Amino acid sequence: MPARQRGSAGDDAFARRRASVEGRFPVMEHATRVGNRLLAALPPADFALLAPYLRKVPLQHDAVLVRSGDRVEHLCFPCSGAIALIMELPNGQAAATAVIGNDGVVGLMTALGPVRSPLTAVVRVAGTALQISPARFQATLERSPALANAVQIVTRAMMTQFLHVAACNALHSVEARLARWLLHIHDRTEGGGDVLHLTQETLSELLGVRRTTVTHVVSALRTSRALKSSRRGQLEIDRPRLEVVACECYKVMSRRIDRIVSQDAVRLLHTAPARNGCPPPDFPFAKTDS
């Protein structure tokens, strides 16, 4: 298809549709307001391609966004809250492989095509997210080099977390690992409160251990005063003491992921301008994602 001539009737119509959409989506008007760090790093022209199809949804505590083996129906860009990715084995055992906050996205594998999720994604800290269907995301991905770079950035950050978690699970004590998970989750708790709403079942999933082991570990953290209290379904932490108990993986992992998402994102995303400001032909710009 030949490139459009600037000032054509088609461009005028597109401009009117875009103005209409921006009026209907005031929260989406500027990428810096969306809350998700990756979407916020997109150049305005690239973000404008996604904006009409993003839908703000609540992340309810303990909600299952996708189960292992199910088709991924939506990509989910958290703006606040925390989502744990859980690997479930056939014998019923489960363990966390990563925690996703506003620095990532759930369901990114759909960028490779229709897939079934290898992991279960569960909300562990309530918040909000921007949701988009795989078809809408894929259509935009084909038009936006910056968004393609964002996919690479997320993939690198996720691989970094997976590798660190694997090494940490093999090398460090269960007390140090629980302290690390609690710090990662606390980092994503809106308002920075010191009470984390986590059940023993959740802690068992995070660590990949039995509940009896969780009881012993929580008791040990209380003895060291890294936990101030541990009521049913609630843990009150003392963050400075928790950082002392945690292994070095927490700081190393946080530093590396932050560098990927912050510095590398700004550098990579802004070297790839949008190819075309026109909306995908199959998805009119003014439609919302259903």
Side-chain angles (χ1 to χ4, degrees):
M1 180 180 294
R4 289 192 183 192
Q5 296 295 318
R6 185 174 298 178
S8 68
D11 282 345
D12 291 341
F14 167 67
R16 288 194 298 271
R17 287 201 306 275
R18 178 169 177 173
S20 173
V21 168
E22 289 177 348
R24 291 168 54 196
F25 295 89
V27 175
M28 308 299 176
E29 187 175 356
H30 299 291
T32 54
R33 298 182 185 179
V34 302
N36 183 274
R37 291 168 63 187
L38 286 162
L39 293 181
L42 287 172
D46 296 83
F47 181 76
L49 297 175
L50 279 176
Y53 311 127
L54 293 170
R55 189 160 59 97
K56 196 166 189 176
V57 297
L59 296 176
Q60 303 288 353
H61 181 65
D62 286 343
V64 177
L65 302 183
V66 62
R67 292 191 181 278
S68 175
D70 289 352
R71 287 199 177 276
V72 179
E73 301 293 337
H74 298 95
L75 284 85
C76 183
F77 292 84
C79 299
S80 60
I83 300 165
L85 302 184
I86 309 294
M87 174 63 74
E88 298 178 315
L89 301 181
N91 64 2
Q93 291 181 300
T97 59
V99 172
I100 306 300
N102 70 350
D103 53 356
V105 55
V106 175
L108 190 64
M109 287 185 67
T110 59
L112 304 176
V115 294
R116 296 187 182 276
S117 177
L119 301 167
T120 295
V122 186
V123 178
R124 290 310 182 200
V125 176
T128 60
L130 295 173
Q131 187 174 276
I132 188 170
S133 72
R136 306 287 196 189
F137 185 81
Q138 185 66 41
T140 305
L141 183 65
E142 293 172 358
R143 306 174 62 81
S144 170
L147 188 58
N149 283 343
V151 169
Q152 294 181 33
I153 290 164
V154 176
T155 302
R156 288 174 57 200
M158 288 299 301
M159 286 300 299
T160 297
Q161 191 168 175
F162 289 152
L163 293 172
H164 269 288
V165 169
C168 185
N169 287 347
L171 299 173
H172 297 137
S173 70
V174 67
E175 290 87 357
R177 291 192 287 121
L178 179 55
R180 172 179 56 76
W181 280 124
L182 294 179
L183 288 169
H184 283 310
I185 291 171
H186 185 247
D187 288 343
R188 293 161 174 83
T189 301
E190 199 166 12
D194 288 337
V195 176
L196 303 179
H197 297 276
L198 302 170
T199 64
Q200 281 212 337
E201 181 181 4
T202 298
L203 299 180
S204 176
E205 281 186 345
L206 287 172
L207 295 167
V209 299
R210 298 179 184 277
R211 290 197 197 181
T212 52
T213 303
V214 170
T215 300
H216 292 307
V217 175
V218 169
S219 178
L221 291 181
R222 288 191 66 179
T223 299
S224 68
R225 297 163 64 188
L227 290 181
K228 297 178 183 178
S229 65
S230 55
R231 304 182 191 91
R232 184 179 179 84
Q234 292 186 345
L235 298 175
E236 185 180 3
I237 69 169
D238 184 311
R239 185 174 177 103
R241 287 191 170 95
L242 203 60
E243 290 180 356
V244 172
V245 176
C247 53
E248 63 270 22
C249 291
Y250 167 68
K251 290 185 178 179
V252 173
M253 192 188 310
S254 298
R255 200 161 49 237
R256 288 181 177 174
I257 292 174
D258 188 66
R259 184 172 63 246
I260 292 170
V261 176
S262 297
Q263 299 174 13
D264 291 1
V266 171
R267 179 173 54 82
L268 289 175
L269 294 179
H270 288 271
T271 59
R275 293 175 185 166
N276 193 320
C278 303
D282 294 334
F283 306 127
F285 195 94
K287 284 189 178 180
T288 61
D289 192 24
S290 57

